[in-house]
Amino acid sequence: MKVLVTGGTGYIGSHTVLCLLEAGHQVAVVDNLINSSAESLRRVQELTGQDISFHHVDLLDEAALTGVFATEEVDAVIHFAGLKAVGESVQKPLQYYHNNVSGTISLLRVMDAFDVRTIVFSSSATVYGEKNPVPYIEKMDIGANNPYGRTKEQVEDILSDIGAADDRWHVALLRYFNPVGAHESGRIGEDPLGIPNNLVPFIAQVAVGRRDKLMVFGGDYDTPDGTALRDYIHVMDLSEGHVAAVDYVAATAGVHRWNLGSGIGSSVFDVLHAFERAVGHPLPYEVAPRRAGDLPGFWADPSAALADLSWSTTKTLDQMCEDHWRWQKNNPNGYAAS
Ligand code: NAD
Ligand code: WQD
């Protein structure tokens, strides 16, 4: 199958491109490089020995996107392209709705025009909001509590409506939990711009000497060690989940929703200590007040993905931290020095 990957130079996209190529698919990538570097794809080509056709195009530019579909014989789309910082989305909601929702509408219009109606969409566990009990199950009502999450919810609604109106659409809505880690080669990984928002990239930058210490947001949650629980998933497991999902939906019409998580809740201290084991020494930290908007704990019920896709996570928290550390140690400034 020829798969067009939007956002394919980004963190999860670049790992998924690698897994798609290794599974025997052909890949074309569209990205506007607003939060990534094309160096990631050069390295995926080096790791796989295969060519990837790259289009430096913004999804909002429907004419340019039409040009991409006119030159590539696309069978299916995996749609990662989007802005993803929760805090920034609160400050700049219009930018988030425009980029994430309008960008997706532009993509869907062009797909429809070219009779390409198979799509795998990057949704997020954040759509479950703050009212649902854990573990989260796909059939629960959703309701995100921030603009970023609402862009994901709105795109889920759009894709569900399209699927209901026209049975030629094949749609997968993938709700990811907390992706971390890197390809085991240490050649590709997460390369956040500026100060990392997320836990593991922040710890990795402390370990490599770019930050003084980790601030642990909240030590007084009602959890075993007082810090918040999340469902961390290795980016390679997540990427394999995309390959399974695109293969499944290519053959099965309708709208499908799957959690991609491990089903295990790990605390901030669990993650910090796993990273310390990978690095080989303790890392400086300080317990700070809770971060606004954070929940005490959430994790996936991953049984639907196991039943339908025969997919489940295989990698431990220690492996996630070892692989993340290898990437960070070998590339202290990410792709910048390349
Ligand atoms: P990322 O920022 O590394 O990748 C997103 C890519 O999309 C970037 O390369 C960026 O340049 C590109 N992009 C953004 N807007 C674009 C546009 N208008 N046109 C073309 N390209 C555009 O992020 P990631 O962590 O790889 O996340 C991929 C997807 O998964 C995102 O949609 C994100 O919301 C979703 N997601 C991420 C997480 C996470 O914690 N990383 C969790 C759940 C869901
Ligand atoms: C994990 C835990 C923090 C940083 C976010 C988005 C979510 C999804 C994944 C896209 C929390 C704590 C963090 C730090 C800390 N993204 N922490 N010190 O908040 O679960 O999810 O990324 O869809 O939508 O909200 O992930 O990695 O930011 O935080 O103590 O410097 O680590 O408080 O308990 P989160 P995270």
Side-chain angles (χ1 to χ4, degrees), residues 16-69:
T16 300
V17 167
L18 185 144
C19 290
L20 286 165
L21 291 170
E22 287 183 341
H25 296 298
Q26 292 171 277
V27 175
V29 167
V30 167
D31 203 299
N32 65 359
L33 302 180
I34 197 165
N35 196 40
S36 56
S37 160
E39 172 65 12
S40 62
L41 286 190
R42 202 192 59 71
R43 295 192 185 184
V44 172
Q45 292 189 152
E46 169 198 291
L47 288 166
T48 59
Q50 297 189 54
D51 287 336
I52 303 157
S53 101
F54 174 57
H55 302 268
H56 186 180
V57 162
D58 192 312
L59 288 189
L60 289 160
D61 183 347
E62 217 170 296
L65 205 51
T66 299
V68 173
F69 277 77

Side-chain angles (χ1 to χ4, degrees), residues 161-338:
D161 289 344
I162 289 173
D166 182 344
D167 60 14
R168 292 174 301 171
W169 282 87
H170 299 223
V171 176
L173 308 175
L174 301 184
R175 296 174 180 163
Y176 320 155
F177 282 68
N178 288 57
V180 299
H183 185 258
E184 62 181 10
S185 65
R187 293 291 291 155
I188 57 171
E190 184 167 15
D191 184 18
L193 289 177
I195 301 170
N197 296 309
N198 297 115
L199 177 64
V200 171
F202 199 100
I203 296 176
Q205 290 195 5
V206 172
V208 86
R210 282 172 65 181
R211 312 269 160 213
D212 289 344
K213 62 182 166 192
L214 172 72
M215 303 305 283
V216 174
F217 297 143
D220 58 352
Y221 286 107
D222 183 16
T223 59
D225 66 18
T227 67
L229 304 174
R230 295 289 183 273
D231 184 338
Y232 296 91
I233 172 173
H234 195 295
V235 68
M236 292 304 294
D237 278 335
L238 183 61
S239 297
E240 294 296 352
H242 285 73
V243 177
V246 79
D247 286 343
Y248 182 100
V249 286
T252 318
V255 180
H256 310 270
R257 289 170 190 76
W258 291 294
N259 288 337
L260 296 184
S262 68
I264 299 166
S266 301
S267 74
V268 175
F269 282 141
D270 289 336
V271 176
L272 177 64
H273 297 324
F275 214 95
E276 289 173 334
R277 284 192 289 278
V279 176
H281 58 77
L283 295 169
Y285 73 88
E286 186 181 316
V287 177
R290 295 179 182 192
R291 185 171 65 179
D294 271 357
L295 295 176
F298 60 85
W299 53 93
D301 176 337
S303 52
L306 178 62
D308 297 339
L309 306 176
S310 302
W311 173 91
S312 60
T313 59
T314 60
K315 292 181 186 281
T316 62
L317 186 58
D318 277 292
Q319 287 171 301
M320 298 178 213
C321 293
E322 284 159 19
D323 290 341
H324 206 109
W325 175 232
R326 189 176 306 105
W327 150 255
Q328 184 73 77
K329 188 177 47 174
N330 293 348
N331 305 270
N333 296 310
Y335 294 116
S338 306

